[in-house]
Amino acid sequence: MKGSPEDLVRAARAVGVRDDRLLEAIRSIPRAEFVPTGEVASAYWDTPVSLPHGQVTTQPSLIAMMVAALGLTGDEQVLEVGTGYGWQTALLARLAAYVVSVERWPDLVDEARLRLAGQGVGNAEVLLGDGTLGIPSRAPYDAVIVCAAFPQVPEPLVDQLRTGGRLVQPIGQGGQERVELYQRRARGVVHLRTVTAARFVRLYGAHGYDQR
């Protein structure tokens, strides 16, 4: 049974997501266009999907919780760390003014760019790079979303976040985390609340785990 986008909307509602703009984005942006060909049959299940290089997509209801925590209103510039095939990127692009997404695998960058273009997403830019460094040339950001786990928030991401901006990241060693929401204040980020418990792959980079 393949399911439908409405199944993902129900899953998001079931975990407490009430943002009508976000729910409509989940309904209207086809996840089946953002998963590998062999995973299309399970695109509308509320489960992670395997990607190349041992990566996995984030579970759709978890994506919904993380994106909802950012409180996007439509005017923001967003930094996304970890693009995958770009479904979360497409959701963010629907909810914000512009999205800069950083992915460390060249083939995933190519796939995400193709899939976003195929859906007519014109306000998202996918760049190859080390996500823990952010993209200083596009800073400051109003919101940052990190899709891999590390015990603390990388300092460059804090530096590139506008005062008052929000950041959501899984905090932990990879495999058993708590997704935390922070806000940038004058002297750094302060913790606002725990979004949920979850499991994520590790965050690699100069301000994450060693890539070697």
Side-chain angles (χ1 to χ4, degrees), residues 12 35 101 158:
V35 299
S101 188
V158 175

Side-chain angles (χ1 to χ4, degrees), residues 62 148-151 169-180 196-202 209:
L62 179 52
F150 193 62
Q169 178 185 319
I171 299 295
Q173 298 183 353
Q176 192 64 47
E177 284 69 55
R178 299 191 76 82
V179 178
E180 307 288 5
T196 186
R199 298 179 66 172
F200 280 82
V201 297
R202 286 184 161 193
Y209 288 103

